[in-house]
């Protein structure tokens, strides 16, 4: 039959309704070793009647007529019902109609009368099944039940299911910063492998997919792990069974990575969205941030806390935005994320006072100024941010409310300044030395804020990526803010390499930073292909190869003479000959590493570069940090590895 629940109707009298669903896994066998998985469903029933609608029937015939005003053929005064079972297990769905009769002698209001067993619904291994049950016509909200069926790994009877015999087996192991997916597959067997985000509140989102030949070892970086990252594997055969596992649900690193990937996005005029790869339990509240205050003051009450659904547009109960209004996201009462969403569009934080208007039961109103110690009562006229029956929020310039108690504070400050001035006069020789030290500390403090540096490279192999990671980590020890795609894989996958690079390049140059082009044999080949074809290279690149995606933005700067002062080139002198760098890039400094490290660091830091001696010490530290990774890149081949190893960056993400 078709599943059409229809709307809820009022009960004409006592009726049978489903109260609980149970399932049991059984095998339906054609032969001893040729079985299919089947789901047996048990529907528990009870009598439902509205208060005041129950009357003891004089006889069973009268009871049958009261329970069903239009029965086709009442049989022995029994209570009859039509119970619908809806079974969905992608990609199949079934609906069945069960006709149930209960003798009148067993009918008591609100009491269970028994159960009905349906044997059974066939389902695929590893599938998620959803079962609904309701009566026809429908007297109450339908029951629903969701169950994840085991795959071949979780079945003790897998020897009886032929589709389990040729299934690839998957094991997950950790090795330091990396996670290895080891597939125990017979030699030359072809199979499919898919990594995806299993989002409970949204459709499953594919992340990476490849068709491979066994055996294989897939390497993931620990920064790619999130709790909802699942792995699906299947033999490349018609109607093959797919095995899915989600091994990182309880992994602490995965949960930390998830919160690092969470982003708050403002959706004008009053909407917002919490973006995350996985579903997560969280509460959001609005708070008020004042310049100079350490913490953001939560606005609860009068505003309520709200449960957050990730990747879903929500609305603030506000009349207008304000740069001091921020959003706090909490998980288990711990503050995980705070962003002032309006600061980008409305400017920096203002020295405004937030006024809170509360209203009593008899429309009694009071106005107070929000402060760390509480609300100071006052009255004023201001623009309204939020308004409802319980209260309102107002924002006013702070200079309208100067309290008399601040006069004592100013007097104390002036007295302290006078005493300090006298001490300075008495110890002026010591003061001169102290001022020199203070000047040096201020200069170093300004440098410590760090000049942004965007590092671009072509992903050659795992060894070269480790070398790039070592260089980026070493540069972070200097007054530099290093941006590299190795540390932004989640954002790069979500935005795409070209959009990610364009945003990072624009922000780096706007902040007075520099873009570093790290040349290697692969990077030089990409440049030659681009210059010859006039477009990006035609061969496939990894999903994280920002260098290949960036050429369409980088090369026009060199062709139009905008590169000097914005770009710096570098190469490892043991991996690339200096003449291999294309002539077009000679418009910027191209320095060899590690032999020209002092010049490279001086060019990176610009006018903030330290003196020659300190710069030489920094260069020595960076050189030592690079040595181990550089040796692994230039180590001559001589060790025969077993099996194969590849990472998700070797394929295309979907």
């Amino acid at each position: 039959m078709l599943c059409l629940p229809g709307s809820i109707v009022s009960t004409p009298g006592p009726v049978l309704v489903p109260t609980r669903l149970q399932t049991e896994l059984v095998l339906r066998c054609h032969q001893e070793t040729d079985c299919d998985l089947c789901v047996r469903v048990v529907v528990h029933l009870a009598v439902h009647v509205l208060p005041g609608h129950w009357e003891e029937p004089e006889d069973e015939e009268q009871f049958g007529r009261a329970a069903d005003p239009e029965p086709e053929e009442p049989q022995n005064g029994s209570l009859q019902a039509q119970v619908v079972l809806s079974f969905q297990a992608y990609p199949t769905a079934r609906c069945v109609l069960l006709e149930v009769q209960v003798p009148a002698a067993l009918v008591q209001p609100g009491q269970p009368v028994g159960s009905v067993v349906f044997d059974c619904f066939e389902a695929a291994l590893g599938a998620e099944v959803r079962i609904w049950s309701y009566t026809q016509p429908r007297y109450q909200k339908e029951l629903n039940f969701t169950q994840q069926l085991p795959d071949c790994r979780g079945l003790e009877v897998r020897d009886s299911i032929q589709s389990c015999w040729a299934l690839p087996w998957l094991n997950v192991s950790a090795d330091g910063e990396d996670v290895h997916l080891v597939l125990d597959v017979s030699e030359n067997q072809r199979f499919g492998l898919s990594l995806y985000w299993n989002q409970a509140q949204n459709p499953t989102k594919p992340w990476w997919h490849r068709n491979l030949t066994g055996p294989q070892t897939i390497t993931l970086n620990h920064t790619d792990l999130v709790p909802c990252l699942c792995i699906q594997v299947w033999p490349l055969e018609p109607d093959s069974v797919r095995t899915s596992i989600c091994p990182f649900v309880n992994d602490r690193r995965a949960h930390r990575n998830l919160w690092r990937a969470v982003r708050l996005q403002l959706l004008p005029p009053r909407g917002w969205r919490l973006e995350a790869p996985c579903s997560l339990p969280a509460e959001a509240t609005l708070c008020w941030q004042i310049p100079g205050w350490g913490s953001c003051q939560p606005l609860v009450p009068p505003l309520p806390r709200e449960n957050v659904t990730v990747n879903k547009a929500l609305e603030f109960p506000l009349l207008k935005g304000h740069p001091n209004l921020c959003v706090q996201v909490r998980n288990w009462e711990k503050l995980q994320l705070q962003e002032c969403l309006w600061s980008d569009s409305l400017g920096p934080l203002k020295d405004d006072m937030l006024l809170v208007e509360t209203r009593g039961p008899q429309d009694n109103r009071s106005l107070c100024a929000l402060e760390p110690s509480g609300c100071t009562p006052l009255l004023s006229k201001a623009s309204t941010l939020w308004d409802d029956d319980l209260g309102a929020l107002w924002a006013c310039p702070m200079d309208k409310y100067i309290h008399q108690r601040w006069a004592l504070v100013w007097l104390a400050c002036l007295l302290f300044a006078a005493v300090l001035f006298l001490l300075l006069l008495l110890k002026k020789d010591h003061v001169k030395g102290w001022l020199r030290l203070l000047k040096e500390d201020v200069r170093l403090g300004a440098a410590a804020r760090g000049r942004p540096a965007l590092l671009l490279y072509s992903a050659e192999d795992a060894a070269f990526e480790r070398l790039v990671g070592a260089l980026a980590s070493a540069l972070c020890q200097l007054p530099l803010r290093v941006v590299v795609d190795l540390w932004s894989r989640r954002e790069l996958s979500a935005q795409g390499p070209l959009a990610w690079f364009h945003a990072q390049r624009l922000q780096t140059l706007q902040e007075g930073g520099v873009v570093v082009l790290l040349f290697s044999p692969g990077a030089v080949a990409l440049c030659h292909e681009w210059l010859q074809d006039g477009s990006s290279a035609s061969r496939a690149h990894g999903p994280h190869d920002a260098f290949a995606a960036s050429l369409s933005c980088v090369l026009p700067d060199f062709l139009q003479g905008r590169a000097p002062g914005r770009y710096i080139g570098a190469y490892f002198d043991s991996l690339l000959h200096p003449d291999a760098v294309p002539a077009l890039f000679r418009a910027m400094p191209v320095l060899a590493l590690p032999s020209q490290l002092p010049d490279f660091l001086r060019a990176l830091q610009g006018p903030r570069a330290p003196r020659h001696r300190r710069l030489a010490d920094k260069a020595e530290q960076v050189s030592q940090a690079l040595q181990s990774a550089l040796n692994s890149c230039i180590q001559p081949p001589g060790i025969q590895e077993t099996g194969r190893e590849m990472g998700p960056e070797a394929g295309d993400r979907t």
Side-chain angles (χ1 to χ4, degrees), residues 127-319:
E128 181 183 76
V129 300
R130 298 182 180 183
I131 306 171
W132 288 268
S133 181
Y134 52 89
T135 58
Q136 199 174 52
R138 190 158 63 98
Y139 301 116
Q140 63 182 19
K141 185 177 180 180
E142 63 268 19
L143 291 180
N144 64 82
F145 183 84
T146 302
Q147 181 178 6
Q148 182 70 45
L149 300 185
D151 54 24
C152 292
R153 297 166 58 94
L155 284 177
E156 297 180 357
V157 293
R158 56 175 174 261
D159 292 339
S160 301
I161 303 177
Q162 294 183 359
S163 56
C164 289
W165 297 352
L167 189 69
W169 297 107
L170 177 68
N171 293 306
V172 180
S173 63
D175 181 14
E177 297 295 313
D178 296 330
V179 175
H180 301 297
L181 312 180
V182 182
L183 285 96
D184 184 10
V185 184
S186 60
E187 188 72 26
N188 299 326
Q189 180 184 351
R190 299 182 67 245
F191 62 94
L193 179 70
S194 176
L195 305 180
Y196 63 94
W197 292 324
N198 186 27
Q199 299 176 328
Q201 298 163 334
N202 296 286
T204 297
K205 185 176 181 181
W207 179 50
W208 183 81
H209 168 79
R210 284 291 300 276
N211 293 335
L212 304 170
T213 302
Q216 291 282 358
T217 298
I218 312 299
T219 302
L220 301 176
N221 192 288
H222 74 97
T223 57
D224 291 326
L225 304 184
V226 290
C228 64
L229 179 61
C230 299
I231 307 158
Q232 190 175 77
V233 61
W234 66 95
L236 293 178
E237 299 173 356
D239 300 325
S240 59
V241 175
R242 298 191 176 203
T243 297
S244 297
I245 61 172
C246 302
F248 309 112
V249 173
N250 299 317
D251 191 291
R252 292 185 177 180
R253 294 178 302 177
H255 283 273
R256 288 195 298 268
N257 292 338
L258 175 60
W259 279 108
R260 292 191 187 107
V262 172
R263 295 292 180 270
L264 279 170
Q265 181 184 8
L266 182 64
L267 304 175
R270 293 179 309 208
W272 66 291
R273 179 169 55 215
L274 185 69
E275 296 183 339
C278 304
S279 302
L280 46 84
E283 284 186 338
T285 60
L286 283 173
C287 64
W288 183 261
Q289 182 69 61
I290 295 293
W293 285 12
S295 60
C296 192
Q297 293 289 104
L299 301 179
V300 179
L303 295 184
R305 295 179 183 264
E306 289 191 8
N307 293 327
V308 181
T309 302
V310 299
N311 304 321
K312 179 182 179 181
L314 303 170
E315 271 202 10
F316 291 113
L318 298 172
L319 300 180

Side-chain angles (χ1 to χ4, degrees), residues 366-380:
S366 62
L367 197 65
C368 63
L370 183 65
E371 295 180 326
S373 59
C375 259
T376 303
L378 46 85
L379 295 174
S380 177

Side-chain angles (χ1 to χ4, degrees), residues 44-57:
H44 294 267
L45 300 171
V47 177
H48 174 71
V49 61
L50 292 177
H53 285 66
W54 173 258
E55 295 181 2
E56 292 291 340

Side-chain angles (χ1 to χ4, degrees), residues 362-514:
Q362 298 179 353
D363 202 24
N364 297 326
R365 303 190 180 195
S366 62
L367 197 65
C368 63
L370 183 65
E371 295 180 326
S373 59
C375 259
T376 303
L378 46 85
L379 295 174
S380 177
K381 181 178 181 181
S383 60
T384 307
L385 296 180
W386 169 75
D387 191 4
D388 77 350
D389 294 337
L390 298 178
L393 299 178
W394 311 71
C396 302
M398 183 67 174
D399 54 11
K400 291 184 179 180
Y401 303 99
I402 301 177
H403 304 292
Q404 293 182 357
R405 65 175 180 268
W406 291 111
L408 295 176
V409 177
W410 281 112
L411 183 59
C413 292
L414 290 174
L415 181 60
F416 176 76
V419 174
L420 182 61
F421 181 70
L422 290 175
L423 291 175
L424 293 178
L425 289 178
L426 295 174
K427 302 286 185 179
K428 63 179 182 179
D429 291 336
H430 295 287
V431 169
K432 289 181 180 180
W434 178 77
L435 288 176
R436 284 195 297 269
L437 293 175
L438 180 61
K439 182 179 179 181
E440 181 68 16
D441 289 343
V442 170
R443 186 183 67 80
L444 293 177
R449 286 193 292 269
R451 186 188 189 194
L454 174 59
L455 186 59
L456 294 178
Y457 68 100
S458 178
E460 303 280 343
D461 51 29
F464 188 76
E465 284 198 340
R466 284 194 293 270
L467 177 58
V468 174
L471 174 61
S473 299
L475 293 179
C476 285
Q477 305 304 316
L478 307 175
L480 289 171
R481 289 187 289 112
V482 181
V483 180
V484 63
D485 62 358
L486 278 173
W487 301 338
S488 305
R489 288 285 172 85
R490 186 70 57 218
E491 296 177 8
L492 193 145
S493 298
Q495 301 175 15
L498 183 59
W500 179 86
F501 165 74
H502 180 73
Q504 297 299 330
R505 170 183 168 275
L506 181 61
Q507 181 178 353
T508 299
L509 297 180
Q510 285 179 345
E511 296 177 1
V514 63

